[in-house]
Amino acid sequence: MLKTLRGIKEAKKIIKGFNPDIVIGTGGYICGPVIMAAKKLKLPTMLHESNAFPGKAVKMLLKKTDVVMVSFEEAKKRLPKAQKVVVTGTPTKILKKEPNLSEKIALKEKYKLNPAKPTVLAFGGSQGAKAINDAIIDLSEKKLNKNYQILLASRTKAI
């Protein structure tokens, strides 16, 4: 509790330092003190929940937030106490251009991938990350991906 109170105080200093128009949290314990600090400073706040099953932080901050943005319609139903919920989808990075052949070859070399095999990029986040990572590692260890190769974007283990 003491760390949370300190976090709110530190977040207020940071927020005052650059005077934003709005504060947006993306879930996780770290956004709690920031959203609370923003509310104390009377700034508009928003949360974005990328999961179909909203996390604890989002549920705890519902009443302190002006708008909750969700990626899935199902998530909206799981937040009945929220004042305002909007289905927005999940923001993603859009490539400005398709990589050319030499860029694709360079990327495959960088990650030691076979240019002749199709590549599957696997990644997960938040509550499902461990299960996805474990499943991909198991698949790879059992050599069940003979016709394709897997590039796993993970913070837990490289394969």
Side-chain angles (χ1 to χ4, degrees), residues 47-118:
L47 286 172
H48 187 273
E49 176 57 75
S50 293
N51 298 302
F53 291 87
K56 292 177 187 175
V58 170
K59 289 179 182 178
M60 287 174 57
L61 294 168
L62 286 177
K63 294 183 180 178
K64 303 228 182 288
T65 306
D66 300 311
V67 177
V68 178
M69 301 172 287
V70 294
S71 294
F72 303 98
E73 190 68 39
E74 306 90 81
K76 188 175 181 179
K77 297 171 193 166
R78 294 182 175 108
L79 299 169
K81 295 180 182 177
Q83 295 172 12
K84 184 173 182 182
V85 181
V86 179
V87 179
T88 61
T90 298
T92 59
K93 181 178 180 182
I94 298 172
L95 293 175
K96 292 187 173 137
K97 68 176 185 70
E98 176 73 19
N100 63 36
L101 183 59
S102 64
E103 290 170 328
K104 287 180 183 180
I105 291 169
L107 284 169
K108 287 193 174 189
E109 285 175 3
K110 177 180 178 180
Y111 294 107
K112 297 178 178 73
L113 298 169
N114 180 345
K117 277 189 174 182

Side-chain angles (χ1 to χ4, degrees), residues 7 9-10 21 32 34 43 51 54 57 64 90 135 146 151:
K9 186 176 177 181
E10 288 178 35
D21 295 317
V34 179
L43 288 168
N51 298 302
K64 303 228 182 288
T90 298
K146 290 179 181 158
L151 182 60

